[in-house]
């Protein structure tokens, strides 16, 4: 089964310049403040759970796991959104996404 392209990969097939501009803006925003990259990515995970963007969530989570971030940190990022902006069902969904990734990485 072919994996669905990420939103940026799809945009690149339509307009490569727009995809590159988006990525450049994202990199600039990530470097603009005092938070380190991993912390910014964990915050992004929380936002993606709230928005219910599973594909983007998993893409960011894969990169974090690849960078050595512990699964417990991913789960904590998901749980941290609870009662602030996320419903209980969204939290459970996000935790399931983390478990999906961990199962995939064991194959």
């Amino acid at each position: 089964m072919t994996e669905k392209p990420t939103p940026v990969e799809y945009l690149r097939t339509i307009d490569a310049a727009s995809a590159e501009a988006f990525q450049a803006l994202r990199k600039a925003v990530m470097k603009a403040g005092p938070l380190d990259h991993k912390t910014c990515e964990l915050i992004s995970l929380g936002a993606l759970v709230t928005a219910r963007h599973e594909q983007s969530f998993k893409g960011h989570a894969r990169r974090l796991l690849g960078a050595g971030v512990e699964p417990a940190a991913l789960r904590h990022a998901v749980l941290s959104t609870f009662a602030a902006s996320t419903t209980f069902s969204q939290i459970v969904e996000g935790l399931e996404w983390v478990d999906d990734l961990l199962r995939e990485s064991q194959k």
Side-chain angles (χ1 to χ4, degrees), residues 11-107:
L11 178 58
R12 189 174 287 116
T13 68
I14 306 298
D15 184 355
S18 293
E20 296 308 316
F22 170 78
Q23 288 185 310
L25 175 61
R26 178 141 168 78
K27 286 177 186 175
V29 168
M30 296 290 261
K31 292 179 181 179
L35 298 178
D36 63 77
H37 183 75
K38 288 180 184 178
T39 301
C40 289
E41 285 291 341
L42 288 167
I43 291 168
S44 293
L45 282 187
L48 291 167
V49 165
T50 300
R52 290 188 139 148
H53 289 294
E54 180 178 2
Q55 183 183 3
S56 296
F57 175 95
K58 287 183 174 179
H60 286 265
R62 276 188 196 95
R63 283 195 295 273
L64 284 165
L65 290 169
V69 174
E70 294 293 323
L74 303 184
R75 290 184 181 108
H76 192 197
V78 170
L79 290 168
S80 294
T81 65
F82 190 54
S85 59
T86 308
T87 66
F88 183 73
S89 63
Q90 288 171 301
I91 293 292
V92 171
E93 220 172 27
L95 294 172
E96 288 171 342
W97 297 343
V98 172
D99 290 341
D100 289 347
L101 285 174
L102 296 174
R103 278 191 296 275
E104 288 172 16
S105 69
Q106 292 173 349
K107 291 181 181 179

